[in-house]
Amino acid sequence: MASFSFNDDDLNRKFGLRSIQAKNVTIVGFGFGYEKRKQIIHGPYEYVIINYDGIEIVADDIAAAGFDLIIIDEANAYKTPTTKRWKTLSHIIKSHEDMWLWMMTGT
């Protein structure tokens, strides 16, 4: 279990924004097998960070975990709806009508 917090005085003063402060964050890294990924996804974490190539391994588990928000960084990796990556994400999103999807890109 990891935790993080940011001093958000500058964000609040300059932009009226506040940072996320969470105590239950985990990152699913490269080299984690299916069982370890599944254990983390169904664990006691508020936030789970996983690389987009690792989503396919545990797509059904992500869909079943009841996340209410998925944030995709590097959305350009999902730009083609015929790719396996997009189809996997689409399967997860369609599994919950009330799930939100935010996609970000710097390109």
Side-chain angles (χ1 to χ4, degrees), residues 56-73:
E56 182 182 342
I57 297 168
V58 285
D60 291 333
D61 296 293
I62 294 170
F67 292 108
D68 54 359
L69 171 65
I70 292 181
I71 302 172
I72 301 291
D73 191 16

Side-chain angles (χ1 to χ4, degrees), residues 12-55:
N12 189 21
R13 187 173 49 253
K14 293 178 183 178
F15 306 107
L17 299 175
R18 297 221 179 257
S19 61
I20 295 173
Q21 296 185 1
K23 294 182 181 173
N24 296 321
V25 178
T26 189
I27 298 174
V28 179
F30 290 106
F32 282 53
Y34 169 74
E35 289 300 323
K36 181 67 173 173
R37 289 173 188 257
K38 179 180 176 180
Q39 177 185 13
I40 290 170
I41 288 168
H42 294 288
Y45 305 106
E46 292 178 71
Y47 303 93
V48 176
I49 302 169
I50 185 170
N51 64 312
Y52 52 76
D53 286 327
I55 292 173

Side-chain angles (χ1 to χ4, degrees), residues 50-106:
I50 185 170
N51 64 312
Y52 52 76
D53 286 327
I55 292 173
E56 182 182 342
I57 297 168
V58 285
D60 291 333
D61 296 293
I62 294 170
F67 292 108
D68 54 359
L69 171 65
I70 292 181
I71 302 172
I72 301 291
D73 191 16
E74 301 298 337
N76 55 309
Y78 289 88
K79 66 183 176 184
T80 308
T82 57
T83 62
K84 189 178 238 183
R85 201 177 273 163
W86 173 255
K87 289 176 182 177
T88 300
L89 179 62
S90 179
H91 163 73
I92 294 168
I93 299 302
K94 288 179 180 177
S95 66
H96 297 284
E97 292 180 13
D98 57 348
M99 183 183 290
W100 287 79
L101 174 65
W102 294 355
M103 299 186 85
M104 304 180 301
T105 185

